[in-house]
Amino acid sequence: MGSTSSPCHVAVLAFPFGTHAAPLYSLASALASTVDDSGVIFSFFTSTRSASSLPPVPRIKIFSVSDGTPPGHVAVHEPPHLEVGRFMSKVPTNFTDALDASVTDSGGIDVTCLISDAFLSFGGAIAKKLNVPWVAVWTGGPCSLSAHIHTDLLRRKNLSDEDDLGFITGLSGLRIKDLPDGVVVGDLTQGFPKLLHDMALALPDADVVVSNTFQGLDPDLDSDFGSKFKMYYPVGPLSLLNPVQAVSEDRFGCIKWLEQQKPHSVVYVSFGTVVSLPGTELAELAHGLVSSGVHFIWSLKDSFREFLPDGFLDRTKDQGIVAAWVPQAEVLAHKSTGAFVTHCGWNSVLESITGGVPLVCRPVLGDQPVNARVVTKVWKVGVGFEGKGIESGELVKCLRKVIRGEEGEGMRERMRRLKEMALGAVGVEGNSVRNLKAVMEMVVGKSGR
Ligand code: UDP
């Protein structure tokens, strides 16, 4: 973009939990990289804790907002709704105070566009008050977004757990029981159900809705959202559009170790940054890995090691690596990785697609069951467990199917096609790249530039 007259100040409001801030920061970085003058500045608002994992990016200044954590509070294995509740008790004042601070810091450049995580639907009201456009960013998968915007419809119908959602465009193959808590039942006046319902009501007013996916992955939803929102742009996978990647730590030497393994022979295990499986299930998983004999990399926080069976680490030191943090995207992109045991967080699903790796799904909460259902029954690029949790014998069967079996070959082939679509979207003239440019025009254009 060329030189500009009056300065633009793009404010980006992050939801500072789970892996929400990272894709939003990738979007801000990708947008900032399209600007070649100093007349556009970006202010990024998130909690101090979430900011600590974001790399510095030219033209983006990070401002800290309170997440409500009392000084000295140490949370080990704390349920996610407690910390989110503390944070929600501080909004929107924590953000509006920080917005004021960013204007002062910039020497008085008023905010000219507000981008927020779609979860923070009060972003719409702030933007209205400032008389600037509101860009809402959905960082999860398209199917769960559709479920949220159809909450009222789903509640009006008297549906049971096994009912198929084929009556909603793009959701055929999903069942009521796959939906996130709070969509079909639950009190819409508080907690997460309220946050998501408020979002569903607010999104049609957003000037643009941006989503971390790529055109063609869920084609029916692309057109449905196109008709429901003023403007809808899939711009993913955002991690691939971001020109400034965080340097992934590989303290445990995962990549070097993968170099010594056979193609598609290794299973990578991770359940993301939020959920914790019960200790008994972690022990089942450990037993299953040993019985399968499959080489593995397991991302497991140190505080969960106590659940591993006695002697597990010793017995498996030639079979695998247990690491507190793994450079996941790189591991999934490595040719030796053949399966991913996952909770099906959306970033993990996208990274598996861009790595071309079939999934073994153990969803826990939120949008994870929807994502798992899409992976196993719609795209058919993964398998799940019959019961709710992981059982060692079943894990062995799943790994046999995915890594060695004919079924796994089919999944890998279908994954290869999804991967090509994803890489095409972020390549030269790809649709995500085009959509990103359109978002940038909107971000600087409507604000008088
Ligand atoms: N991740 C990682 N190394 C780990 C564990 C997780 O890099 O050892 C990253 C992973 O690549 C992904 C994110 O953490 O980008 C997890 O995001 P996801 O949406 O799958 O789950 P969430 O953390 O939100 O539950």
Side-chain angles (χ1 to χ4, degrees):
M1 244 165 238
S3 181
T4 48
S5 45
S6 53
C8 273
H9 183 174
V10 184
V12 188
L13 277 45
F15 181 74
F17 301 102
T19 309
H20 271 249
L24 196 66
Y25 197 66
S26 292
L27 174 68
S29 309
L31 290 171
S33 74
T34 68
V35 189
D36 61 12
D37 68 65
S38 54
V40 184
I41 58 167
F42 286 76
S43 299
F44 192 89
F45 302 86
T46 194
S47 67
T48 308
R49 190 173 51 156
S50 115
S52 65
S53 59
L54 304 175
V57 168
R59 256 192 282 281
I60 301 184
K61 181 152 185 183
I62 297 179
F63 291 85
S64 193
V65 292
S66 165
D67 62 5
T69 307
H73 178 84
V74 183
V76 180
H77 302 181
E78 189 176 46
H81 71 268
L82 287 185
E83 51 178 9
V84 174
R86 282 197 297 266
F87 164 72
M88 290 309 285
S89 72
K90 299 284 173 192
V91 302
T93 320
N94 53 351
F95 282 104
T96 47
D97 288 351
L99 279 165
D100 288 345
S102 74
V103 172
T104 308
D105 181 82
S106 70
I109 306 176
D110 286 329
V111 170
T112 52
C113 178
L114 193 127
I115 301 179
S116 80
D117 190 306
F119 273 26
L120 307 179
S121 55
F122 54 81
I126 300 177
K128 201 168 178 183
K129 201 163 163 207
L130 297 174
N131 195 24
V132 300
W134 176 36
V135 179
V137 183
W138 177 250
T139 63
C143 290
S144 53
L145 175 58
S146 176
H148 290 303
I149 62 177
H150 289 100
T151 295
D152 290 333
L153 169 74
L154 286 160
R155 282 179 173 233
R156 277 197 303 274
K157 289 180 173 271
N158 200 6
L159 298 160
S160 47
D161 264 10
E162 294 295 331
D163 284 339
D164 189 274
L165 294 174
F167 58 92
I168 296 177
T169 305
L171 296 194
S172 181
L174 302 189
R175 301 157 303 180
I176 290 292
K177 70 178 183 192
D178 301 317
L179 295 177
D181 284 347
V183 170
V184 182
V185 288
D187 181 0
L188 290 181
T189 64
Q190 55 184 332
F192 252 108
K194 173 172 165 47
L195 181 150
L196 291 161
H197 190 242
D198 287 352
M199 173 193 79
L201 298 178
L203 283 186
D205 289 331
D207 294 280
V208 185
V209 175
V210 166
S211 173
N212 187 13
T213 184
F214 47 94
Q215 249 163 269
L217 184 61
D218 302 278
D220 293 342
L221 289 174
D222 291 343
S223 42
D224 194 46
F225 293 153
S227 71
K228 288 201 163 67
F229 301 134
K230 287 183 192 164
M231 276 195 249
Y232 171 70
Y233 289 118
V235 297
L238 280 168
S239 58
L240 298 186
L241 272 186
N242 178 10
V244 189
Q245 299 290 349
V247 180
S248 305
E249 245 188 293
D250 190 10
R251 274 193 297 132
F252 295 81
C254 298
I255 301 298
K256 205 164 155 208
W257 181 82
L258 278 172
E259 292 296 331
Q260 292 148 23
Q261 312 301 318
K262 294 194 189 109
H264 304 144
S265 66
V266 173
V267 56
Y268 169 59
V269 183
S270 169
F271 302 99
T273 61
V274 179
V275 301
S276 25
L277 292 187
T280 45
E281 226 181 305
L282 293 177
E284 282 291 318
L285 174 48
H287 287 304
L289 289 173
V290 173
S291 312
S292 73
V294 173
H295 285 190
F296 66 84
I297 294 175
W298 185 351
S299 168
L300 184 72
K301 288 183 200 134
D302 289 343
S303 56
F304 288 96
R305 282 189 175 219
E306 61 176 288
F307 299 113
L308 296 176
D310 285 344
F312 173 80
L313 292 172
D314 247 5
R315 242 179 306 144
T316 58
K317 61 181 183 313
D318 295 327
Q319 192 190 339
I321 297 176
V322 177
W325 187 257
V326 170
Q328 176 169 307
E330 286 91 331
V331 163
L332 287 168
H334 198 282
K335 62 178 186 330
S336 299
T337 307
F340 180 16
V341 178
T342 169
H343 67 313
C344 293
W346 184 245
N347 293 291
S348 293
V349 171
L350 281 180
E351 286 161 14
S352 220
I353 289 177
T354 54
V357 177
L359 306 104
V360 178
C361 306
R362 172 33 177 132
V364 180
L365 48 79
D367 62 347
Q368 297 155 15
V370 168
N371 297 339
R373 183 78 179 173
V374 176
V375 162
T376 54
K377 301 293 177 199
V378 182
W379 303 332
K380 299 187 171 60
V381 292
V383 294
F385 294 94
E386 293 299 327
K388 202 164 157 34
I390 296 175
E391 189 275 317
S392 59
E394 223 190 323
L395 176 65
V396 174
K397 282 191 206 144
C398 287
L399 291 180
R400 207 173 287 147
K401 239 189 233 173
V402 172
I403 291 193
R404 304 203 176 115
E406 228 174 84
E407 233 176 292
E409 277 304 316
M411 289 180 211
R412 238 182 305 285
E413 176 53 25
R414 285 186 286 279
M415 260 305 195
R416 199 179 53 74
R417 277 182 249 141
L418 296 184
K419 175 179 175 175
E420 274 171 13
M421 231 192 273
L423 297 184
V426 295
V428 184
E429 289 304 308
N431 52 55
S432 288
V433 172
R434 273 203 313 273
N435 289 343
L436 182 78
K437 282 189 191 140
V439 174
M440 191 58 191
E441 296 289 338
M442 163 81 203
V443 165
V444 293
K446 271 221 182 164
S447 48
R449 303 188 63 83

